[in-house]
Structures are given as C-alpha cells and as structure tokens.
C-alpha cells in the first residue's frame, strides 16, 4: 500500500496500479488469499484519482511569497561569554520574533541555528513584522547577556512550497541580504522596494544603499534599507564579502543538485544542504576548498580514497552517496543528517554515560574504517 501510494503521489498512476496487480497475483498464486479490503479500496481510489490520496504528499506548489530571514549577530561570541544565560535569552528572542511575525499574518517555517525563516503573503506584511520585531528586541531587557542584535533580510517572489518548507530565489536572496547586514539592520531587495513604493507602509522609510553583488548570486542587486522612527538607522558598510549562504566560488547549482543553505564549515571544505531532483531527496554536499581541490597530491588520491569511503557501511559512519571532480573543484555528496553537531546538542558539557556511549560509537566506526584499509 505504501509503495502504491508513493508511486501515485509521484505522478505514476499506471505504475501504482501495476504494483497492485503484482501483489494481487502473488497473494493468489503463492498464498491462496485475496487482497484485503483496505488494499482494494486504495486501488479504487487510485483508479478514480481521488484527491484525498495527495494529502500530506509533500508535492511542490509554486507560490508568490515574501520571505523574512533573521539571524543574531555575534551569537557564537555571546554563547561563549554567557553560556548559562543564553538559553533563556534565546527563548525570549524566539518568542518576540514569533509574536511579531504571527501578528503580521506570517509564520515561521524554519529555524537555522540562532536564526529563522518566515513567510508572508505580501512584502508589506513582512516589513510590518520586521519593524515590530526590531522594536520588541530593542526594548527587551536581556540581563547579563547585554543585548541581542538581529540582522534581517526580506525578498518577495515565486518560491516552491513543499512539506511545510520554501525553496527558491526569494529564500536565497533574503538569506544573502541578511548576511550582508548588521545587527538591527533590515535589508530589502529590489522587488520589496518596488512593492513599498506601490503600497507604502506607514512610518517606514526606505533608504537606497546602491547596487551590490551579493555573495553566491549571479546578478547584482539594488539593496535597500528600512528606516524605522526611533530605531538606529546608521550602520557600517554592507558586508558583501562576509559570511553568506554560498561561497563566491560555489555555483547555485551543481550537475544533478540544487545547493541551498550552508550548514557547516571545515578545514577542507564547506558543506551545503542540497536537493537532488532526480530522486526527490535532500543531501549534504561538501565542496572542497579550491586550494586543496587543485593540489597535485589531492588530485592523485581523491578518487581512490573516495571510492574506499563509499564502500564503508556502518551505522556510525555518514554514507557517501556520490563524488566527482571537475575544472571548478571537487565535491562529495553525503546523507543529510540534520541533528547538528555534538557542540550544539550538549552545550559543552556531557555526562559520563553519554560520553561513554559516544566514544564507543566513534571507536566502532574507526575500527570498521581501519578494517577496510582507511
């Protein structure tokens, strides 16, 4: 039944019906029984193309949506300096943001570390939420933490809605705008500026900051800043060369994969969450840094070692799905594990039992890798 439903939701009605026939033949010839009522009912619904079967299918829908991306400036430093106080401060931050977003008719659809992504039906609603959030954050007593300053980016356009998440240019552009700003600053795209000119938001002024090439974007973007009465409006130059979702050296797409947000950095490369359209799944793509990808020693060893790692099959080793080299660099595709790092789930301290369990699992993984010649 699950197989039939998956095939039908993938627009393969004929294959779903063939799956039923094969199962029916097997049950009759091998077991001498008929398919149950539930299975027969599913076949009938597939034949009739019952829309109820699509509920919860995760099918993609294209919508025009405004995206607001937020992030706490200097959150790593704050966590290091105020380890005990940050959980409460972050809880207040999340509450204030959520209240501002929901009061403007939006909804938070994703959290990324100390940041968030939310969606709105119009650019004006996203602007209203950004102003309300900045006022609430500025007026809040953060105790010993001092102050949480949040940078924001807003874009509007057509995005792909799937499984409660959004993907596409507005998400990417809003994230890059946020990364180019400073704590307390709200940056907006050209399309948001045009929307505000057509339908102004009371009390909100627009300041143009010139045209910039945001990191990871193919085209330049006229960047605007929202100015709110009574809130700081003067900030340093845009951090166009600062942290962004994608590196300059990394294209927005790779053969067979669509790169999305950056989820990790290592000594040898940058890791991105990516989508593999051919099989409809999300993966992690590690892009090897150019200084390593082009080194003769690396080139000589890369393929052989990648093939060895791909053969490793162990519950505590992340599976390597694919790898390749081209003129632009070297790439590794791995199973996406969204649980974060040990640091993020332990806050720096773990108990003896947990430590023993983790070390045992790591030891088993290393032992397996050593046995395979790694």
């Amino acid at each position: 039944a699950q197989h039939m439903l998956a095939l039908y939701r993938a627009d393969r009605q004929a294959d779903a019906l063939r799956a039923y026939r094969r199962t029916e033949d097997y049950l009759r010839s091998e077991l001498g029984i008929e398919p149950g009522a539930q299975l027969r009912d599913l076949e009938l619904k597939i034949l009739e193309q019952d829309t109820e079967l699509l509920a919860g299918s995760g099918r993609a829908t294209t919508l025009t949506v405004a995206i607001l991306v937020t992030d706490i400036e200097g959150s790593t430093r704050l966590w290091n300096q105020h380890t005990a106080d940050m959980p409460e401060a972050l809880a207040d931050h999340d509450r204030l943001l959520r209240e501002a977003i929901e009061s403007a008719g939006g909804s938070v659809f994703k959290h990324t570390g100390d940041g968030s992504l939310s969606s709105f039906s119009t650019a004006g609603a996203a602007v209203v939420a950004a102003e309300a959030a900045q006022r609430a954050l500025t007026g809040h007593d953060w105790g010993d933490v001092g102050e949480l300053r949040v940078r924001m980016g807003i874009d509007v356009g057509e995005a792909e809605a799937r499984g409660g998440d959004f993907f596409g240019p507005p998400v990417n552009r809003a994230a890059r705008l946020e990364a180019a700003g400073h704590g307390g600053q709200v940056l907006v795209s050209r399309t948001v500026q045009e929307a505000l000119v057509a339908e102004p938001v009371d009390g909100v002024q627009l300041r143009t900051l010139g045209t910039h090439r945001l990191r990871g974007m193919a085209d330049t973007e006229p960047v605007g800043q929202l100015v709110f009465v009574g809130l700081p409006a003067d900030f340093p130059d845009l951090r166009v060369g600062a942290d962004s979702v994608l590196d300059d050296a990394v294209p927005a797409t790779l053969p067979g994969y669509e790169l999305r947000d950056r989820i990790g950095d290592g000594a040898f490369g940058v890791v991105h969450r990516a989508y593999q359209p051919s099989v409809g799944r999300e993966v992690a793509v590690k892009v090897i840094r150019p200084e390593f990808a082009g080194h003769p020693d690396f080139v000589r060893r890369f393929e052989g070692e990648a093939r060895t790692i791909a053969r490793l099959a162990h519950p505590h080793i992340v599976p390597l799905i694919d790898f390749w080299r081209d003129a632009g660099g070297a790439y590794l595709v791995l199973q996406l594990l969204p649980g974060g790092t040990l640091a993020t789930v332990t806050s720096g301290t773990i108990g003896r039992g947990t430590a023993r369990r983790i070390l045992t699992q790591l030891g088993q993984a290393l032992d397996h890798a050593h046995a395979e010649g790694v």
Side-chain angles (χ1 to χ4, degrees), residues 9-37:
R9 287 175 171 177
D11 291 323
R12 295 168 60 184
Q13 181 186 20
D15 289 336
L17 294 171
R18 277 193 287 269
Y20 174 82
R21 296 301 179 196
R22 286 195 299 269
T23 303
E24 183 181 45
D25 290 343
Y26 176 81
L27 292 174
R28 287 173 174 169
S29 62
E30 299 292 333
L31 301 177
I33 60 176
E34 294 292 324

Tab-separated table of all heavy atoms in Angstrom, residues 9-37:
chain	number	residue	atom	x	y	z
A	9	ARG	N	1.632	9.359	-5.839
A	9	ARG	CA	1.981	10.733	-5.494
A	9	ARG	C	3.117	11.265	-6.361
A	9	ARG	O	3.321	12.476	-6.435
A	9	ARG	CB	2.358	10.822	-4.013
A	9	ARG	CG	1.157	10.700	-3.088
A	9	ARG	CD	1.589	10.664	-1.637
A	9	ARG	NE	0.438	10.764	-0.733
A	9	ARG	CZ	0.523	10.697	0.592
A	9	ARG	NH1	1.707	10.528	1.159
A	9	ARG	NH2	-0.550	10.806	1.328
A	10	ALA	N	3.860	10.380	-6.997
A	10	ALA	CA	4.929	10.787	-7.900
A	10	ALA	C	4.437	10.846	-9.348
A	10	ALA	O	5.248	10.793	-10.283
A	10	ALA	CB	6.105	9.818	-7.790
A	11	ASP	N	3.121	10.966	-9.524
A	11	ASP	CA	2.506	11.058	-10.857
A	11	ASP	C	2.734	9.806	-11.689
A	11	ASP	O	2.867	9.868	-12.920
A	11	ASP	CB	3.026	12.285	-11.618
A	11	ASP	CG	2.541	13.589	-11.011
A	11	ASP	OD1	1.380	13.614	-10.547
A	11	ASP	OD2	3.308	14.556	-10.991
A	12	ARG	N	2.793	8.656	-11.044
A	12	ARG	CA	2.984	7.381	-11.751
A	12	ARG	C	1.801	6.467	-11.452
A	12	ARG	O	1.920	5.417	-10.848
A	12	ARG	CB	4.305	6.743	-11.323
A	12	ARG	CG	5.526	7.573	-11.727
A	12	ARG	CD	6.796	7.107	-11.058
A	12	ARG	NE	7.121	5.724	-11.394
A	12	ARG	CZ	8.152	5.066	-10.871
A	12	ARG	NH1	8.953	5.663	-10.006
A	12	ARG	NH2	8.388	3.812	-11.216
A	13	GLN	N	0.616	6.895	-11.915
A	13	GLN	CA	-0.610	6.152	-11.628
A	13	GLN	C	-0.557	4.739	-12.206
A	13	GLN	O	-0.925	3.771	-11.526
A	13	GLN	CB	-1.811	6.906	-12.205
A	13	GLN	CG	-3.152	6.210	-11.930
A	13	GLN	CD	-4.294	6.893	-12.636
A	13	GLN	OE1	-4.096	7.626	-13.597
A	13	GLN	NE2	-5.510	6.667	-12.160
A	14	ALA	N	-0.083	4.620	-13.452
A	14	ALA	CA	-0.039	3.294	-14.074
A	14	ALA	C	0.875	2.355	-13.301
A	14	ALA	O	0.547	1.168	-13.096
A	14	ALA	CB	0.429	3.426	-15.522
A	15	ASP	N	2.031	2.865	-12.850
A	15	ASP	CA	2.955	2.023	-12.079
A	15	ASP	C	2.337	1.618	-10.750
A	15	ASP	O	2.553	0.496	-10.266
A	15	ASP	CB	4.267	2.773	-11.833
A	15	ASP	CG	5.093	2.930	-13.099
A	15	ASP	OD1	4.910	2.123	-14.027
A	15	ASP	OD2	5.925	3.854	-13.151
A	16	ALA	N	1.575	2.522	-10.144
A	16	ALA	CA	0.909	2.193	-8.874
A	16	ALA	C	-0.096	1.061	-9.073
A	16	ALA	O	-0.196	0.138	-8.251
A	16	ALA	CB	0.219	3.432	-8.316
A	17	LEU	N	-0.831	1.111	-10.184
A	17	LEU	CA	-1.811	0.052	-10.468
A	17	LEU	C	-1.116	-1.265	-10.798
A	17	LEU	O	-1.586	-2.347	-10.416
A	17	LEU	CB	-2.725	0.481	-11.609
A	17	LEU	CG	-3.647	1.677	-11.288
A	17	LEU	CD1	-4.354	2.158	-12.536
A	17	LEU	CD2	-4.643	1.292	-10.197
A	18	ARG	N	0.013	-1.187	-11.517
A	18	ARG	CA	0.772	-2.410	-11.802
A	18	ARG	C	1.308	-3.030	-10.517
A	18	ARG	O	1.357	-4.265	-10.382
A	18	ARG	CB	1.912	-2.100	-12.777
A	18	ARG	CG	1.482	-2.079	-14.242
A	18	ARG	CD	2.686	-2.079	-15.166
A	18	ARG	NE	3.360	-0.796	-15.149
A	18	ARG	CZ	3.081	0.200	-15.985
A	18	ARG	NH1	2.114	0.058	-16.888
A	18	ARG	NH2	3.744	1.338	-15.924
A	19	ALA	N	1.704	-2.185	-9.570
A	19	ALA	CA	2.183	-2.695	-8.286
A	19	ALA	C	1.075	-3.471	-7.576
A	19	ALA	O	1.319	-4.509	-6.944
A	19	ALA	CB	2.688	-1.537	-7.410
A	20	TYR	N	-0.158	-2.969	-7.690
A	20	TYR	CA	-1.290	-3.683	-7.092
A	20	TYR	C	-1.495	-5.038	-7.766
A	20	TYR	O	-1.700	-6.058	-7.102
A	20	TYR	CB	-2.563	-2.847	-7.191
A	20	TYR	CG	-3.789	-3.585	-6.712
A	20	TYR	CD1	-4.080	-3.663	-5.354
A	20	TYR	CD2	-4.635	-4.236	-7.609
A	20	TYR	CE1	-5.188	-4.351	-4.902
A	20	TYR	CE2	-5.748	-4.929	-7.169
A	20	TYR	CZ	-6.017	-4.989	-5.819
A	20	TYR	OH	-7.104	-5.677	-5.363
A	21	ARG	N	-1.426	-5.052	-9.112
A	21	ARG	CA	-1.641	-6.306	-9.844
A	21	ARG	C	-0.590	-7.345	-9.471
A	21	ARG	O	-0.894	-8.527	-9.308
A	21	ARG	CB	-1.611	-6.041	-11.350
A	21	ARG	CG	-2.719	-5.130	-11.852
A	21	ARG	CD	-4.087	-5.697	-11.543
A	21	ARG	NE	-5.151	-4.801	-12.007
A	21	ARG	CZ	-6.405	-4.883	-11.622
A	21	ARG	NH1	-6.763	-5.805	-10.736
A	21	ARG	NH2	-7.310	-4.044	-12.084
A	22	ARG	N	0.645	-6.911	-9.357
A	22	ARG	CA	1.707	-7.857	-8.986
A	22	ARG	C	1.455	-8.431	-7.603
A	22	ARG	O	1.632	-9.634	-7.359
A	22	ARG	CB	3.082	-7.165	-9.042
A	22	ARG	CG	3.595	-6.907	-10.454
A	22	ARG	CD	5.080	-6.562	-10.431
A	22	ARG	NE	5.339	-5.345	-9.660
A	22	ARG	CZ	5.370	-4.131	-10.191
A	22	ARG	NH1	5.124	-3.962	-11.483
A	22	ARG	NH2	5.628	-3.082	-9.435
A	23	THR	N	1.045	-7.563	-6.685
A	23	THR	CA	0.764	-8.030	-5.319
A	23	THR	C	-0.434	-8.976	-5.315
A	23	THR	O	-0.430	-10.017	-4.641
A	23	THR	CB	0.489	-6.823	-4.401
A	23	THR	OG1	1.605	-5.944	-4.439
A	23	THR	CG2	0.255	-7.270	-2.968
A	24	GLU	N	-1.455	-8.635	-6.082
A	24	GLU	CA	-2.655	-9.476	-6.178
A	24	GLU	C	-2.302	-10.856	-6.724
A	24	GLU	O	-2.731	-11.889	-6.172
A	24	GLU	CB	-3.682	-8.789	-7.075
A	24	GLU	CG	-5.005	-9.531	-7.189
A	24	GLU	CD	-5.960	-8.820	-8.112
A	24	GLU	OE1	-5.510	-8.397	-9.215
A	24	GLU	OE2	-7.149	-8.676	-7.762
A	25	ASP	N	-1.485	-10.892	-7.792
A	25	ASP	CA	-1.078	-12.176	-8.370
A	25	ASP	C	-0.283	-12.998	-7.368
A	25	ASP	O	-0.466	-14.233	-7.256
A	25	ASP	CB	-0.235	-11.940	-9.628
A	25	ASP	CG	-1.073	-11.380	-10.771
A	25	ASP	OD1	-2.300	-11.473	-10.703
A	25	ASP	OD2	-0.472	-10.823	-11.722
A	26	TYR	N	0.614	-12.340	-6.637
A	26	TYR	CA	1.443	-13.056	-5.663
A	26	TYR	C	0.571	-13.649	-4.545
A	26	TYR	O	0.731	-14.810	-4.152
A	26	TYR	CB	2.492	-12.114	-5.074
A	26	TYR	CG	3.323	-12.748	-3.990
A	26	TYR	CD1	4.395	-13.576	-4.300
A	26	TYR	CD2	3.023	-12.529	-2.646
A	26	TYR	CE1	5.151	-14.174	-3.303
A	26	TYR	CE2	3.759	-13.118	-1.642
A	26	TYR	CZ	4.827	-13.940	-1.978
A	26	TYR	OH	5.558	-14.534	-0.994
A	27	LEU	N	-0.333	-12.842	-4.021
A	27	LEU	CA	-1.182	-13.318	-2.923
A	27	LEU	C	-2.015	-14.522	-3.353
A	27	LEU	O	-2.174	-15.494	-2.605
A	27	LEU	CB	-2.095	-12.187	-2.441
A	27	LEU	CG	-1.410	-11.014	-1.727
A	27	LEU	CD1	-2.410	-9.904	-1.423
A	27	LEU	CD2	-0.755	-11.479	-0.428
A	28	ARG	N	-2.535	-14.470	-4.581
A	28	ARG	CA	-3.386	-15.556	-5.045
A	28	ARG	C	-2.575	-16.815	-5.364
A	28	ARG	O	-2.940	-17.927	-4.959
A	28	ARG	CB	-4.156	-15.107	-6.283
A	28	ARG	CG	-5.279	-14.129	-5.992
A	28	ARG	CD	-5.906	-13.592	-7.275
A	28	ARG	NE	-7.076	-12.758	-6.992
A	28	ARG	CZ	-7.677	-12.005	-7.904
A	28	ARG	NH1	-7.233	-12.002	-9.152
A	28	ARG	NH2	-8.727	-11.282	-7.567
A	29	SER	N	-1.455	-16.653	-6.102
A	29	SER	CA	-0.706	-17.826	-6.556
A	29	SER	C	0.140	-18.440	-5.461
A	29	SER	O	0.296	-19.665	-5.398
A	29	SER	CB	0.183	-17.438	-7.751
A	29	SER	OG	1.130	-16.457	-7.364
A	30	GLU	N	0.720	-17.624	-4.608
A	30	GLU	CA	1.632	-18.146	-3.590
A	30	GLU	C	0.950	-18.456	-2.264
A	30	GLU	O	1.360	-19.369	-1.555
A	30	GLU	CB	2.771	-17.138	-3.354
A	30	GLU	CG	3.631	-16.853	-4.583
A	30	GLU	CD	4.457	-18.063	-4.986
A	30	GLU	OE1	4.771	-18.879	-4.100
A	30	GLU	OE2	4.782	-18.192	-6.179
A	31	LEU	N	-0.062	-17.659	-1.915
A	31	LEU	CA	-0.674	-17.812	-0.593
A	31	LEU	C	-2.131	-18.243	-0.649
A	31	LEU	O	-2.704	-18.601	0.375
A	31	LEU	CB	-0.566	-16.487	0.178
A	31	LEU	CG	0.864	-15.957	0.388
A	31	LEU	CD1	0.824	-14.612	1.108
A	31	LEU	CD2	1.687	-16.940	1.209
A	32	GLY	N	-2.744	-18.143	-1.823
A	32	GLY	CA	-4.137	-18.568	-1.952
A	32	GLY	C	-5.112	-17.659	-1.249
A	32	GLY	O	-6.164	-18.115	-0.774
A	33	ILE	N	-4.799	-16.376	-1.161
A	33	ILE	CA	-5.696	-15.425	-0.493
A	33	ILE	C	-5.926	-14.226	-1.409
A	33	ILE	O	-5.189	-13.992	-2.375
A	33	ILE	CB	-5.137	-14.941	0.860
A	33	ILE	CG1	-3.786	-14.241	0.658
A	33	ILE	CG2	-4.987	-16.097	1.832
A	33	ILE	CD1	-3.218	-13.648	1.939
A	34	GLU	N	-6.975	-13.484	-1.100
A	34	GLU	CA	-7.304	-12.279	-1.868
A	34	GLU	C	-6.756	-11.043	-1.144
A	34	GLU	O	-6.616	-11.043	0.084
A	34	GLU	CB	-8.822	-12.155	-2.013
A	34	GLU	CG	-9.463	-13.247	-2.846
A	34	GLU	CD	-9.062	-13.150	-4.297
A	34	GLU	OE1	-8.901	-12.019	-4.817
A	34	GLU	OE2	-8.902	-14.212	-4.930
A	35	PRO	N	-6.475	-9.962	-1.874
A	35	PRO	CA	-6.077	-8.712	-1.211
A	35	PRO	C	-7.158	-8.251	-0.245
A	35	PRO	O	-8.360	-8.455	-0.496
A	35	PRO	CB	-5.918	-7.726	-2.373
A	35	PRO	CG	-5.694	-8.577	-3.577
A	35	PRO	CD	-6.477	-9.826	-3.345
A	36	GLY	N	-6.756	-7.627	0.827
A	36	GLY	CA	-7.705	-7.153	1.822
A	36	GLY	C	-8.495	-5.956	1.327
A	36	GLY	O	-8.190	-5.339	0.301
A	37	ALA	N	-9.528	-5.618	2.091
A	37	ALA	CA	-10.421	-4.532	1.699
A	37	ALA	C	-9.681	-3.199	1.615
A	37	ALA	O	-9.963	-2.368	0.740
A	37	ALA	CB	-11.581	-4.434	2.695
